[in-house]
Amino acid sequence: MVLTQVAMVAIMTMTPVHMRAHDFGMSAVGLVIGIHIGAMYLPSLATGILVDKVGRTPMAITAGVTLLLAGIVAALAPGDALGLLILALVLLGLGWNFGLIAGTALVVDATDPASRARTQGTIDVLIALAGAGGGAASGMVMAATDFSTLSLAGGILALLLIPVLLWARCSSRETSSL
């Protein structure tokens, strides 16, 4: 959940800056961000069903892949390609949604009811801090490089979900076999 938050916030935060640098007006910026926010939250009911039917880990991996695709589309989109920016930000919102819901289900599965609220609260704080860090870092990355580099970096960062998930699964198997 922390990795999906960093990737999403970093790219989302700098998209309006990138768009304004390519002479898009505020109405286009508002459209892209509005559609992105819709993609973050509207699929939640369907995502919950998918997480239950497909599985938590496969959906978390899907989050990483979707966020990578968002980063690639954003990085490769010409500066004046509104449709591709919308696609990139829809994928970004959808990947975040997959990651958040799959991650929350993994936390519920891995905790007992007595410690669940404390654990989830700690994770929520980490997610908030990660978002703040991602937003701040994205400005520094943009100042040093460009939107394409930032977008690719965010997508690649999201792929770290896969080894983290595999490590967590191996660790939980080793712990349960002891």
Side-chain angles (χ1 to χ4, degrees):
M1 288 186 286
V2 169
L3 291 172
T4 61
Q5 183 77 0
V6 171
M8 186 277 295
V9 169
I11 296 170
M12 178 198 68
T13 301
M14 288 297 119
T15 298
V17 174
H18 172 70
M19 290 179 71
R20 294 293 290 153
H22 287 87
D23 298 322
F24 281 104
M26 291 305 291
S27 61
V29 170
L31 175 69
V32 170
I33 297 301
I35 291 171
H36 163 69
I37 291 170
M40 288 173 65
Y41 295 104
L42 290 176
S44 295
L45 292 174
T47 303
I49 293 168
L50 282 171
V51 166
D52 285 340
K53 292 204 181 288
V54 175
R56 281 92 164 105
T57 300
M59 286 303 295
I61 291 169
T62 300
V65 172
T66 304
L67 289 166
L68 175 63
L69 290 174
I72 291 170
V73 171
L76 297 178
D80 61 350
L82 182 62
L84 288 175
L85 287 173
I86 289 172
L87 175 61
L89 273 282
V90 165
L91 289 169
L92 190 67
L94 194 58
W96 177 86
N97 178 279
F98 291 164
L100 186 72
I101 294 176
T104 300
L106 285 165
V107 169
V108 168
D109 292 347
T111 56
D112 61 271
S115 65
R116 189 169 297 141
R118 183 173 24 108
T119 301
Q120 187 64 53
T122 300
I123 291 169
D124 289 346
V125 169
L126 292 173
I127 290 170
L129 292 172
S138 68
M140 292 185 278
V141 171
M142 281 278 289
T145 62
D146 59 11
F147 185 70
S148 293
T149 302
L150 171 70
S151 298
L152 283 175
I156 291 167
L157 175 69
L159 271 188
L160 287 176
L161 284 167
I162 296 170
V164 167
L165 285 166
L166 296 175
W167 172 79
R169 288 184 90 183
C170 289
S171 293
S172 69
R173 283 187 199 137
E174 288 173 10
T175 303
S176 64
S177 66
L178 295 177

